[in-house]
């Protein structure tokens, strides 16, 4: 894991530069628009508001027994917002090295800075929205102590997304088809995550498929914390930690093997 630890050291040494790069990327996402910085926050807010309006107000749809909430829109929003954050961070992080190709060819900057910049820019937008969501759900979780699990869950999701984005950025540099494959996986991945349905509605014999999605454990954790005010089950933490450890090993191998060719691939 020496290579992986060296990447962490590079990120720490360049933390001031990463801060500047992250602020510039957030600003670039709304550059030239009339509403400015409001846009990155407004788009996901309008999406979840539409879920609530359509499913809970217009159709008044209800989930069956075993669901952590019977209101479909309320249940859907808890999983949809972190899923949006995940897709946004992974998509932008995966393409970050390709976009920074000309910069890396002219400057001896650590490549890891660019996926980190893109993922932090996404977290800068979706992190406050998740905390706002917790406030909006106070009538549901009644500020029970389990809602505190939201903070470690968000921190672990950020770490997992950073590792996954860095690994995919290296894959995309080596093989451009990665961008197309991952884009397709993200579009269908929502159906392998308990966002649209509670896990109890998924066939028991096929539930192992859900654990192949690194976001499944986080979504179940958010549902426990925000819909029930309960601390997530140990299974959520164990699976999340296993994914982080697995991705750290993958990143370590990828960085070591691509170190000499990465800039040439861009």
């Amino acid at each position: 894991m020496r290579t992986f630890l060296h990447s962490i050291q590079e990120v720490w040494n360049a933390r001031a530069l990463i801060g500047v790069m992250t602020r510039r990327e957030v600003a670039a996402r709304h550059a030239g628009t009339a509403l400015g910085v409001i846009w990155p926050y407004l788009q996901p807010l309008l999406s979840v508001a539409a879920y609530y309006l359509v499913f809970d107000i217009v159709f008044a749809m209800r989930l069956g027994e075993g669901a952590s909430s019977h209101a479909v829109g309320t249940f859907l929003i808890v999983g949809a917002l972190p899923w949006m954050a995940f897709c946004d961070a992974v998509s932008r992080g995966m393409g970050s090295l390709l976009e920074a190709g000309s910069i890396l060819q002219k400057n001896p900057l650590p490549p890891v800075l660019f996926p980190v910049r893109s993922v932090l820019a996404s977290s800068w937008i979706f992190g406050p929205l998740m905390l706002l969501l917790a406030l909006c759900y106070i009538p549901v979780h009644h500020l029970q102590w389990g809602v505190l699990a939201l903070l470690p869950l968000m921190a672990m999701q950020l770490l997992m997304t950073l590792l996954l984005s860095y690994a995919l950025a290296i894959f995309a540099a080596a093989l451009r088809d990665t961008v197309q494959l991952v884009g397709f996986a993200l579009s269908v991945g929502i159906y392998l995550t308990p966002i649209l349905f509670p896990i109890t509605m998924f066939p028991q014999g096929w539930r192992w498929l859900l654990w192949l999605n690194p976001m499944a454990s986080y979504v179940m954790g958010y549902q426990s914390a925000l819909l029930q005010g309960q601390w997530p089950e140990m299974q959520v933490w164990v699976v999340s930690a296993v994914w982080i450890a697995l991705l750290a090993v993958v990143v370590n191998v990828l960085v070591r093997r691509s170190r000499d060719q990465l800039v040439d691939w861009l």
Side-chain angles (χ1 to χ4, degrees):
M1 298 295 286
R2 187 175 299 175
T3 305
F4 177 70
L5 295 175
H6 180 67
S7 296
I8 294 177
Q9 184 67 43
E10 289 178 325
V11 171
W12 177 253
N13 292 340
R15 58 189 181 280
L17 176 60
I18 291 175
V20 174
M21 294 167 66
T22 301
R23 287 194 294 273
R24 287 181 177 176
E25 174 150 338
V26 173
R29 294 187 186 186
H30 56 77
T33 61
L35 294 181
V37 73
I38 296 176
W39 268 120
Y41 297 93
L42 189 60
Q43 290 170 335
L45 280 176
L46 289 176
S47 297
V48 296
Y51 294 151
Y52 180 75
L53 177 67
V54 172
F55 293 106
D56 285 0
I57 303 299
V58 178
F59 293 112
M61 295 177 67
R62 294 293 181 264
L63 292 169
E65 297 297 327
S68 49
S69 172
H70 293 300
V72 172
T74 303
F75 178 86
L76 176 60
I77 291 169
V78 170
L81 192 59
W83 176 258
M84 290 180 203
F86 173 74
C87 292
D88 185 78
V90 169
S91 299
R92 295 178 185 276
M94 177 176 57
S96 60
L97 288 180
L98 295 176
E99 294 174 1
S102 59
I103 298 175
L104 288 170
Q105 288 168 355
K106 298 174 183 175
N107 301 280
L109 292 170
V112 66
L113 301 188
F114 295 91
V116 170
R117 174 200 61 181
S118 296
V119 174
L120 288 181
S122 295
S123 68
W124 186 263
I125 295 168
F126 284 93
L129 293 180
M130 285 297 295
L131 297 178
L132 177 62
L133 186 65
L135 293 177
C136 293
Y137 273 60
I138 286 178
V140 179
H141 56 65
H142 302 295
L143 279 178
Q144 297 183 63
W145 71 276
V147 75
L148 294 176
L150 191 65
L151 295 177
L153 281 171
M154 290 171 60
M156 292 180 73
Q157 180 180 338
L158 174 61
L159 179 57
M160 182 273 292
T161 308
L162 279 169
L163 293 169
L164 180 60
S165 299
Y166 191 21
L168 291 175
I170 296 173
F171 271 122
L175 185 65
R176 301 300 195 266
D177 301 68
T178 303
V179 177
Q180 309 301 325
L181 290 172
V182 174
F184 173 75
L186 291 176
S187 65
V188 301
I190 193 171
Y191 301 106
L192 287 177
T193 314
I195 296 174
L196 306 175
F197 50 83
I199 192 171
T200 52
M201 292 181 64
F202 205 79
Q204 190 166 7
W206 292 91
R207 286 182 190 172
W208 60 271
L209 276 174
L210 298 179
W211 301 111
L212 299 179
N213 183 339
M215 275 300 293
S217 57
Y218 293 100
V219 169
M220 286 189 276
Y222 293 130
Q223 290 168 349
S224 297
L226 294 179
L227 297 178
Q228 298 174 310
Q230 296 178 356
W231 194 262
E233 295 180 356
M234 183 58 68
Q235 188 180 25
V236 169
W237 303 105
V238 171
V239 173
S240 300
V242 168
W243 265 108
I244 289 172
L246 179 64
L247 287 170
V249 173
V250 171
V251 167
N252 183 69
V253 173
L254 288 176
V255 173
R256 188 175 69 245
R257 294 194 174 185
S258 65
R259 186 164 39 201
D260 297 331
Q261 299 90 7
L262 182 59
V263 175
D264 296 331
W265 293 339
L266 299 174

